[in-house]
Amino acid sequence: MHNPESDRGPHDRGPTEWQEGRHGVGPWEGEWPTDPRYDQDFLRDGDRRNVVDAYRYWSLEAIREDLDQRRHPFHVAIENFENDMNIGTVVRTANAFMAEAVHIVGRKRWNRRGAMVTDRYQHIIHHETVDDLLEWATARGVAVVAIDNTPGSVPLETAELPRDCVLLFGQEGPGVTAEAQQAAVMTCSIAQFGSTRSINAGVAAGIAMHTWIRQHADLSHAW
């Protein structure tokens, strides 16, 4: 069967997550700025990165430094994730909502394609075991909030999330380990109305992060 997509040239393809996309700016026009946050290579060649306009032409280091001044006091932790794309989705969403850091429990190597380069701007911390994560949280006085649809869980839609917290997620199926749930100040469930037992872990993380944003973020600081 003929596929009409095969007739389309590279410039006819719409921007998607896996294509280059039509974003960015060309070389700087006029006299170059003297602000040290600007990168001379970007000024000369243009900036095609997927960053907000306020960061156009800025160096990676300058962007990270500015983000560090505005990060929110919540963290995201993931344990037992088997799908690298879900890990990338969590990192990308954490960057969008300006989480302090993403904590990955278990393996240290993962395919970062799904993060869409946002891992360069987001703090990522690795823990060998869930005990290491819990010890880290206790030492810093950060409350652990598990997100899992288990008996006795509190509906996320009505829960009051702590301001300084780490939102902990497990993979679809096994979910958050019993050890982590026992250490959590609460376990929150996400209301579902369809036939499936669970939703995508990356999507669940995005829902929980946005719940924190709705309760605690200063929306006047949003782009």
Side-chain angles (χ1 to χ4, degrees), residues 24-28 32 39-49 56-57:
V25 290
W28 184 279
W32 283 12
D39 184 284
Q40 292 190 358
D41 290 339
F42 290 135
L43 293 173
R44 181 188 65 245
D45 302 327
D47 187 354
R48 305 297 179 184
R49 298 172 298 174
R56 287 292 176 210
Y57 302 108

mmCIF file with all atom_site columns, all heavy atoms in Angstrom, residues 24-28 32 39-49 56-57:
data_model
loop_
_atom_site.group_PDB
_atom_site.id
_atom_site.type_symbol
_atom_site.label_atom_id
_atom_site.label_alt_id
_atom_site.label_comp_id
_atom_site.label_asym_id
_atom_site.label_entity_id
_atom_site.label_seq_id
_atom_site.pdbx_PDB_ins_code
_atom_site.Cartn_x
_atom_site.Cartn_y
_atom_site.Cartn_z
_atom_site.occupancy
_atom_site.B_iso_or_equiv
_atom_site.pdbx_formal_charge
_atom_site.auth_seq_id
_atom_site.auth_comp_id
_atom_site.auth_asym_id
_atom_site.auth_atom_id
_atom_site.pdbx_PDB_model_num
ATOM 1   N N   . GLY A 1 24 ? 13.705 27.978 17.262 1.00 0.00 ? 24 GLY A N   1
ATOM 2   C CA  . GLY A 1 24 ? 15.055 28.539 17.277 1.00 0.00 ? 24 GLY A CA  1
ATOM 3   C C   . GLY A 1 24 ? 15.141 29.846 16.540 1.00 0.00 ? 24 GLY A C   1
ATOM 4   O O   . GLY A 1 24 ? 14.181 30.329 15.935 1.00 0.00 ? 24 GLY A O   1
ATOM 5   N N   . VAL A 1 25 ? 16.313 30.421 16.607 1.00 0.00 ? 25 VAL A N   1
ATOM 6   C CA  . VAL A 1 25 ? 16.580 31.712 15.971 1.00 0.00 ? 25 VAL A CA  1
ATOM 7   C C   . VAL A 1 25 ? 17.908 31.634 15.237 1.00 0.00 ? 25 VAL A C   1
ATOM 8   O O   . VAL A 1 25 ? 18.763 30.807 15.543 1.00 0.00 ? 25 VAL A O   1
ATOM 9   C CB  . VAL A 1 25 ? 16.620 32.850 17.016 1.00 0.00 ? 25 VAL A CB  1
ATOM 10  C CG1 . VAL A 1 25 ? 15.238 33.122 17.581 1.00 0.00 ? 25 VAL A CG1 1
ATOM 11  C CG2 . VAL A 1 25 ? 17.593 32.518 18.145 1.00 0.00 ? 25 VAL A CG2 1
ATOM 12  N N   . GLY A 1 26 ? 18.061 32.500 14.267 1.00 0.00 ? 26 GLY A N   1
ATOM 13  C CA  . GLY A 1 26 ? 19.292 32.544 13.500 1.00 0.00 ? 26 GLY A CA  1
ATOM 14  C C   . GLY A 1 26 ? 20.372 33.354 14.191 1.00 0.00 ? 26 GLY A C   1
ATOM 15  O O   . GLY A 1 26 ? 20.235 33.734 15.360 1.00 0.00 ? 26 GLY A O   1
ATOM 16  N N   . PRO A 1 27 ? 21.465 33.637 13.489 1.00 0.00 ? 27 PRO A N   1
ATOM 17  C CA  . PRO A 1 27 ? 22.551 34.422 14.077 1.00 0.00 ? 27 PRO A CA  1
ATOM 18  C C   . PRO A 1 27 ? 22.049 35.774 14.573 1.00 0.00 ? 27 PRO A C   1
ATOM 19  O O   . PRO A 1 27 ? 21.108 36.350 14.034 1.00 0.00 ? 27 PRO A O   1
ATOM 20  C CB  . PRO A 1 27 ? 23.530 34.589 12.904 1.00 0.00 ? 27 PRO A CB  1
ATOM 21  C CG  . PRO A 1 27 ? 23.242 33.414 12.016 1.00 0.00 ? 27 PRO A CG  1
ATOM 22  C CD  . PRO A 1 27 ? 21.763 33.177 12.119 1.00 0.00 ? 27 PRO A CD  1
ATOM 23  N N   . TRP A 1 28 ? 22.704 36.278 15.600 1.00 0.00 ? 28 TRP A N   1
ATOM 24  C CA  . TRP A 1 28 ? 22.328 37.573 16.194 1.00 0.00 ? 28 TRP A CA  1
ATOM 25  C C   . TRP A 1 28 ? 22.531 38.668 15.157 1.00 0.00 ? 28 TRP A C   1
ATOM 26  O O   . TRP A 1 28 ? 23.576 38.740 14.509 1.00 0.00 ? 28 TRP A O   1
ATOM 27  C CB  . TRP A 1 28 ? 23.181 37.840 17.422 1.00 0.00 ? 28 TRP A CB  1
ATOM 28  C CG  . TRP A 1 28 ? 22.797 39.097 18.159 1.00 0.00 ? 28 TRP A CG  1
ATOM 29  C CD1 . TRP A 1 28 ? 23.155 40.367 17.844 1.00 0.00 ? 28 TRP A CD1 1
ATOM 30  C CD2 . TRP A 1 28 ? 21.986 39.182 19.327 1.00 0.00 ? 28 TRP A CD2 1
ATOM 31  N NE1 . TRP A 1 28 ? 22.617 41.254 18.739 1.00 0.00 ? 28 TRP A NE1 1
ATOM 32  C CE2 . TRP A 1 28 ? 21.894 40.550 19.669 1.00 0.00 ? 28 TRP A CE2 1
ATOM 33  C CE3 . TRP A 1 28 ? 21.335 38.244 20.126 1.00 0.00 ? 28 TRP A CE3 1
ATOM 34  C CZ2 . TRP A 1 28 ? 21.172 40.997 20.786 1.00 0.00 ? 28 TRP A CZ2 1
ATOM 35  C CZ3 . TRP A 1 28 ? 20.619 38.679 21.228 1.00 0.00 ? 28 TRP A CZ3 1
ATOM 36  C CH2 . TRP A 1 28 ? 20.543 40.048 21.549 1.00 0.00 ? 28 TRP A CH2 1
ATOM 37  N N   . TRP A 1 32 ? 26.746 42.719 18.939 1.00 0.00 ? 32 TRP A N   1
ATOM 38  C CA  . TRP A 1 32 ? 26.602 41.639 19.916 1.00 0.00 ? 32 TRP A CA  1
ATOM 39  C C   . TRP A 1 32 ? 26.484 42.189 21.334 1.00 0.00 ? 32 TRP A C   1
ATOM 40  O O   . TRP A 1 32 ? 27.170 43.172 21.686 1.00 0.00 ? 32 TRP A O   1
ATOM 41  C CB  . TRP A 1 32 ? 27.792 40.702 19.851 1.00 0.00 ? 32 TRP A CB  1
ATOM 42  C CG  . TRP A 1 32 ? 27.750 39.751 18.691 1.00 0.00 ? 32 TRP A CG  1
ATOM 43  C CD1 . TRP A 1 32 ? 26.906 39.801 17.620 1.00 0.00 ? 32 TRP A CD1 1
ATOM 44  C CD2 . TRP A 1 32 ? 28.583 38.609 18.503 1.00 0.00 ? 32 TRP A CD2 1
ATOM 45  N NE1 . TRP A 1 32 ? 27.158 38.765 16.759 1.00 0.00 ? 32 TRP A NE1 1
ATOM 46  C CE2 . TRP A 1 32 ? 28.180 38.011 17.274 1.00 0.00 ? 32 TRP A CE2 1
ATOM 47  C CE3 . TRP A 1 32 ? 29.613 38.027 19.223 1.00 0.00 ? 32 TRP A CE3 1
ATOM 48  C CZ2 . TRP A 1 32 ? 28.792 36.864 16.774 1.00 0.00 ? 32 TRP A CZ2 1
ATOM 49  C CZ3 . TRP A 1 32 ? 30.220 36.884 18.735 1.00 0.00 ? 32 TRP A CZ3 1
ATOM 50  C CH2 . TRP A 1 32 ? 29.803 36.311 17.518 1.00 0.00 ? 32 TRP A CH2 1
ATOM 51  N N   . ASP A 1 39 ? 26.330 33.139 24.758 1.00 0.00 ? 39 ASP A N   1
ATOM 52  C CA  . ASP A 1 39 ? 27.342 32.256 24.200 1.00 0.00 ? 39 ASP A CA  1
ATOM 53  C C   . ASP A 1 39 ? 27.718 32.750 22.805 1.00 0.00 ? 39 ASP A C   1
ATOM 54  O O   . ASP A 1 39 ? 26.854 32.921 21.950 1.00 0.00 ? 39 ASP A O   1
ATOM 55  C CB  . ASP A 1 39 ? 26.800 30.828 24.135 1.00 0.00 ? 39 ASP A CB  1
ATOM 56  C CG  . ASP A 1 39 ? 27.827 29.829 23.657 1.00 0.00 ? 39 ASP A CG  1
ATOM 57  O OD1 . ASP A 1 39 ? 28.096 29.808 22.438 1.00 0.00 ? 39 ASP A OD1 1
ATOM 58  O OD2 . ASP A 1 39 ? 28.340 29.062 24.491 1.00 0.00 ? 39 ASP A OD2 1
ATOM 59  N N   . GLN A 1 40 ? 28.997 32.959 22.564 1.00 0.00 ? 40 GLN A N   1
ATOM 60  C CA  . GLN A 1 40 ? 29.423 33.526 21.284 1.00 0.00 ? 40 GLN A CA  1
ATOM 61  C C   . GLN A 1 40 ? 29.139 32.604 20.106 1.00 0.00 ? 40 GLN A C   1
ATOM 62  O O   . GLN A 1 40 ? 28.851 33.075 19.003 1.00 0.00 ? 40 GLN A O   1
ATOM 63  C CB  . GLN A 1 40 ? 30.912 33.876 21.351 1.00 0.00 ? 40 GLN A CB  1
ATOM 64  C CG  . GLN A 1 40 ? 31.226 35.016 22.301 1.00 0.00 ? 40 GLN A CG  1
ATOM 65  C CD  . GLN A 1 40 ? 32.657 35.508 22.165 1.00 0.00 ? 40 GLN A CD  1
ATOM 66  O OE1 . GLN A 1 40 ? 33.441 34.971 21.382 1.00 0.00 ? 40 GLN A OE1 1
ATOM 67  N NE2 . GLN A 1 40 ? 32.993 36.537 22.924 1.00 0.00 ? 40 GLN A NE2 1
ATOM 68  N N   . ASP A 1 41 ? 29.202 31.296 20.322 1.00 0.00 ? 41 ASP A N   1
ATOM 69  C CA  . ASP A 1 41 ? 28.882 30.361 19.236 1.00 0.00 ? 41 ASP A CA  1
ATOM 70  C C   . ASP A 1 41 ? 27.427 30.492 18.823 1.00 0.00 ? 41 ASP A C   1
ATOM 71  O O   . ASP A 1 41 ? 27.102 30.469 17.624 1.00 0.00 ? 41 ASP A O   1
ATOM 72  C CB  . ASP A 1 41 ? 29.179 28.925 19.667 1.00 0.00 ? 41 ASP A CB  1
ATOM 73  C CG  . ASP A 1 41 ? 30.672 28.658 19.803 1.00 0.00 ? 41 ASP A CG  1
ATOM 74  O OD1 . ASP A 1 41 ? 31.464 29.406 19.196 1.00 0.00 ? 41 ASP A OD1 1
ATOM 75  O OD2 . ASP A 1 41 ? 31.037 27.705 20.507 1.00 0.00 ? 41 ASP A OD2 1
ATOM 76  N N   . PHE A 1 42 ? 26.533 30.632 19.800 1.00 0.00 ? 42 PHE A N   1
ATOM 77  C CA  . PHE A 1 42 ? 25.113 30.798 19.473 1.00 0.00 ? 42 PHE A CA  1
ATOM 78  C C   . PHE A 1 42 ? 24.861 32.142 18.802 1.00 0.00 ? 42 PHE A C   1
ATOM 79  O O   . PHE A 1 42 ? 24.046 32.247 17.880 1.00 0.00 ? 42 PHE A O   1
ATOM 80  C CB  . PHE A 1 42 ? 24.252 30.663 20.725 1.00 0.00 ? 42 PHE A CB  1
ATOM 81  C CG  . PHE A 1 42 ? 24.195 29.271 21.282 1.00 0.00 ? 42 PHE A CG  1
ATOM 82  C CD1 . PHE A 1 42 ? 24.329 29.054 22.648 1.00 0.00 ? 42 PHE A CD1 1
ATOM 83  C CD2 . PHE A 1 42 ? 24.006 28.182 20.449 1.00 0.00 ? 42 PHE A CD2 1
ATOM 84  C CE1 . PHE A 1 42 ? 24.277 27.772 23.165 1.00 0.00 ? 42 PHE A CE1 1
ATOM 85  C CE2 . PHE A 1 42 ? 23.956 26.890 20.955 1.00 0.00 ? 42 PHE A CE2 1
ATOM 86  C CZ  . PHE A 1 42 ? 24.091 26.686 22.320 1.00 0.00 ? 42 PHE A CZ  1
ATOM 87  N N   . LEU A 1 43 ? 25.543 33.181 19.273 1.00 0.00 ? 43 LEU A N   1
ATOM 88  C CA  . LEU A 1 43 ? 25.378 34.496 18.657 1.00 0.00 ? 43 LEU A CA  1
ATOM 89  C C   . LEU A 1 43 ? 25.801 34.460 17.194 1.00 0.00 ? 43 LEU A C   1
ATOM 90  O O   . LEU A 1 43 ? 25.157 35.066 16.325 1.00 0.00 ? 43 LEU A O   1
ATOM 91  C CB  . LEU A 1 43 ? 26.196 35.542 19.416 1.00 0.00 ? 43 LEU A CB  1
ATOM 92  C CG  . LEU A 1 43 ? 25.738 35.873 20.849 1.00 0.00 ? 43 LEU A CG  1
ATOM 93  C CD1 . LEU A 1 43 ? 26.750 36.794 21.520 1.00 0.00 ? 43 LEU A CD1 1
ATOM 94  C CD2 . LEU A 1 43 ? 24.361 36.527 20.831 1.00 0.00 ? 43 LEU A CD2 1
ATOM 95  N N   . ARG A 1 44 ? 26.849 33.721 16.924 1.00 0.00 ? 44 ARG A N   1
ATOM 96  C CA  . ARG A 1 44 ? 27.374 33.658 15.556 1.00 0.00 ? 44 ARG A CA  1
ATOM 97  C C   . ARG A 1 44 ? 26.543 32.728 14.658 1.00 0.00 ? 44 ARG A C   1
ATOM 98  O O   . ARG A 1 44 ? 26.229 33.075 13.506 1.00 0.00 ? 44 ARG A O   1
ATOM 99  C CB  . ARG A 1 44 ? 28.820 33.168 15.596 1.00 0.00 ? 44 ARG A CB  1
ATOM 100 C CG  . ARG A 1 44 ? 29.485 33.099 14.203 1.00 0.00 ? 44 ARG A CG  1
ATOM 101 C CD  . ARG A 1 44 ? 30.847 32.432 14.249 1.00 0.00 ? 44 ARG A CD  1
ATOM 102 N NE  . ARG A 1 44 ? 30.753 31.034 14.629 1.00 0.00 ? 44 ARG A NE  1
ATOM 103 C CZ  . ARG A 1 44 ? 31.265 30.540 15.754 1.00 0.00 ? 44 ARG A CZ  1
ATOM 104 N NH1 . ARG A 1 44 ? 31.924 31.320 16.599 1.00 0.00 ? 44 ARG A NH1 1
ATOM 105 N NH2 . ARG A 1 44 ? 31.135 29.252 16.034 1.00 0.00 ? 44 ARG A NH2 1
ATOM 106 N N   . ASP A 1 45 ? 26.165 31.566 15.183 1.00 0.00 ? 45 ASP A N   1
ATOM 107 C CA  . ASP A 1 45 ? 25.550 30.530 14.346 1.00 0.00 ? 45 ASP A CA  1
ATOM 108 C C   . ASP A 1 45 ? 24.037 30.428 14.489 1.00 0.00 ? 45 ASP A C   1
ATOM 109 O O   . ASP A 1 45 ? 23.383 29.778 13.675 1.00 0.00 ? 45 ASP A O   1
ATOM 110 C CB  . ASP A 1 45 ? 26.160 29.163 14.677 1.00 0.00 ? 45 ASP A CB  1
ATOM 111 C CG  . ASP A 1 45 ? 27.664 29.148 14.484 1.00 0.00 ? 45 ASP A CG  1
ATOM 112 O OD1 . ASP A 1 45 ? 28.160 29.864 13.578 1.00 0.00 ? 45 ASP A OD1 1
ATOM 113 O OD2 . ASP A 1 45 ? 28.348 28.434 15.243 1.00 0.00 ? 45 ASP A OD2 1
ATOM 114 N N   . GLY A 1 46 ? 23.477 31.044 15.515 1.00 0.00 ? 46 GLY A N   1
ATOM 115 C CA  . GLY A 1 46 ? 22.059 30.889 15.799 1.00 0.00 ? 46 GLY A CA  1
ATOM 116 C C   . GLY A 1 46 ? 21.843 29.875 16.909 1.00 0.00 ? 46 GLY A C   1
ATOM 117 O O   . GLY A 1 46 ? 22.730 29.074 17.231 1.00 0.00 ? 46 GLY A O   1
ATOM 118 N N   . ASP A 1 47 ? 20.669 29.897 17.489 1.00 0.00 ? 47 ASP A N   1
ATOM 119 C CA  . ASP A 1 47 ? 20.351 29.030 18.616 1.00 0.00 ? 47 ASP A CA  1
ATOM 120 C C   . ASP A 1 47 ? 19.108 28.215 18.272 1.00 0.00 ? 47 ASP A C   1
ATOM 121 O O   . ASP A 1 47 ? 17.997 28.729 18.252 1.00 0.00 ? 47 ASP A O   1
ATOM 122 C CB  . ASP A 1 47 ? 20.102 29.884 19.872 1.00 0.00 ? 47 ASP A CB  1
ATOM 123 C CG  . ASP A 1 47 ? 19.920 29.042 21.127 1.00 0.00 ? 47 ASP A CG  1
ATOM 124 O OD1 . ASP A 1 47 ? 19.880 27.813 21.013 1.00 0.00 ? 47 ASP A OD1 1
ATOM 125 O OD2 . ASP A 1 47 ? 19.823 29.638 22.221 1.00 0.00 ? 47 ASP A OD2 1
ATOM 126 N N   . ARG A 1 48 ? 19.295 26.929 17.979 1.00 0.00 ? 48 ARG A N   1
ATOM 127 C CA  . ARG A 1 48 ? 18.187 26.064 17.580 1.00 0.00 ? 48 ARG A CA  1
ATOM 128 C C   . ARG A 1 48 ? 17.711 25.162 18.721 1.00 0.00 ? 48 ARG A C   1
ATOM 129 O O   . ARG A 1 48 ? 16.943 24.240 18.496 1.00 0.00 ? 48 ARG A O   1
ATOM 130 C CB  . ARG A 1 48 ? 18.629 25.175 16.399 1.00 0.00 ? 48 ARG A CB  1
ATOM 131 C CG  . ARG A 1 48 ? 19.180 25.952 15.212 1.00 0.00 ? 48 ARG A CG  1
ATOM 132 C CD  . ARG A 1 48 ? 18.146 26.867 14.601 1.00 0.00 ? 48 ARG A CD  1
ATOM 133 N NE  . ARG A 1 48 ? 18.684 27.629 13.480 1.00 0.00 ? 48 ARG A NE  1
ATOM 134 C CZ  . ARG A 1 48 ? 18.003 28.563 12.818 1.00 0.00 ? 48 ARG A CZ  1
ATOM 135 N NH1 . ARG A 1 48 ? 16.761 28.839 13.193 1.00 0.00 ? 48 ARG A NH1 1
ATOM 136 N NH2 . ARG A 1 48 ? 18.559 29.220 11.824 1.00 0.00 ? 48 ARG A NH2 1
ATOM 137 N N   . ARG A 1 49 ? 18.124 25.420 19.924 1.00 0.00 ? 49 ARG A N   1
ATOM 138 C CA  . ARG A 1 49 ? 17.713 24.587 21.049 1.00 0.00 ? 49 ARG A CA  1
ATOM 139 C C   . ARG A 1 49 ? 16.241 24.813 21.406 1.00 0.00 ? 49 ARG A C   1
ATOM 140 O O   . ARG A 1 49 ? 15.676 25.870 21.131 1.00 0.00 ? 49 ARG A O   1
ATOM 141 C CB  . ARG A 1 49 ? 18.582 24.890 22.278 1.00 0.00 ? 49 ARG A CB  1
ATOM 142 C CG  . ARG A 1 49 ? 20.059 24.600 22.103 1.00 0.00 ? 49 ARG A CG  1
ATOM 143 C CD  . ARG A 1 49 ? 20.850 25.124 23.298 1.00 0.00 ? 49 ARG A CD  1
ATOM 144 N NE  . ARG A 1 49 ? 20.721 26.574 23.427 1.00 0.00 ? 49 ARG A NE  1
ATOM 145 C CZ  . ARG A 1 49 ? 21.210 27.283 24.435 1.00 0.00 ? 49 ARG A CZ  1
ATOM 146 N NH1 . ARG A 1 49 ? 21.852 26.668 25.415 1.00 0.00 ? 49 ARG A NH1 1
ATOM 147 N NH2 . ARG A 1 49 ? 21.061 28.599 24.470 1.00 0.00 ? 49 ARG A NH2 1
ATOM 148 N N   . ARG A 1 56 ? 17.303 32.434 24.940 1.00 0.00 ? 56 ARG A N   1
ATOM 149 C CA  . ARG A 1 56 ? 17.933 32.391 23.632 1.00 0.00 ? 56 ARG A CA  1
ATOM 150 C C   . ARG A 1 56 ? 19.347 32.965 23.680 1.00 0.00 ? 56 ARG A C   1
ATOM 151 O O   . ARG A 1 56 ? 19.573 34.019 24.281 1.00 0.00 ? 56 ARG A O   1
ATOM 152 C CB  . ARG A 1 56 ? 17.105 33.180 22.615 1.00 0.00 ? 56 ARG A CB  1
ATOM 153 C CG  . ARG A 1 56 ? 15.822 32.496 22.211 1.00 0.00 ? 56 ARG A CG  1
ATOM 154 C CD  . ARG A 1 56 ? 16.106 31.246 21.418 1.00 0.00 ? 56 ARG A CD  1
ATOM 155 N NE  . ARG A 1 56 ? 14.886 30.515 21.091 1.00 0.00 ? 56 ARG A NE  1
ATOM 156 C CZ  . ARG A 1 56 ? 14.821 29.222 20.935 1.00 0.00 ? 56 ARG A CZ  1
ATOM 157 N NH1 . ARG A 1 56 ? 15.902 28.490 21.066 1.00 0.00 ? 56 ARG A NH1 1
ATOM 158 N NH2 . ARG A 1 56 ? 13.688 28.626 20.637 1.00 0.00 ? 56 ARG A NH2 1
ATOM 159 N N   . TYR A 1 57 ? 20.269 32.245 23.074 1.00 0.00 ? 57 TYR A N   1
ATOM 160 C CA  . TYR A 1 57 ? 21.675 32.629 22.951 1.00 0.00 ? 57 TYR A CA  1
ATOM 161 C C   . TYR A 1 57 ? 22.461 32.487 24.263 1.00 0.00 ? 57 TYR A C   1
ATOM 162 O O   . TYR A 1 57 ? 23.671 32.721 24.279 1.00 0.00 ? 57 TYR A O   1
ATOM 163 C CB  . TYR A 1 57 ? 21.840 34.060 22.424 1.00 0.00 ? 57 TYR A CB  1
ATOM 164 C CG  . TYR A 1 57 ? 21.199 34.323 21.087 1.00 0.00 ? 57 TYR A CG  1
ATOM 165 C CD1 . TYR A 1 57 ? 20.043 35.098 20.993 1.00 0.00 ? 57 TYR A CD1 1
ATOM 166 C CD2 . TYR A 1 57 ? 21.735 33.816 19.903 1.00 0.00 ? 57 TYR A CD2 1
ATOM 167 C CE1 . TYR A 1 57 ? 19.452 35.358 19.759 1.00 0.00 ? 57 TYR A CE1 1
ATOM 168 C CE2 . TYR A 1 57 ? 21.153 34.069 18.672 1.00 0.00 ? 57 TYR A CE2 1
ATOM 169 C CZ  . TYR A 1 57 ? 20.013 34.840 18.601 1.00 0.00 ? 57 TYR A CZ  1
ATOM 170 O OH  . TYR A 1 57 ? 19.421 35.103 17.390 1.00 0.00 ? 57 TYR A OH  1
#
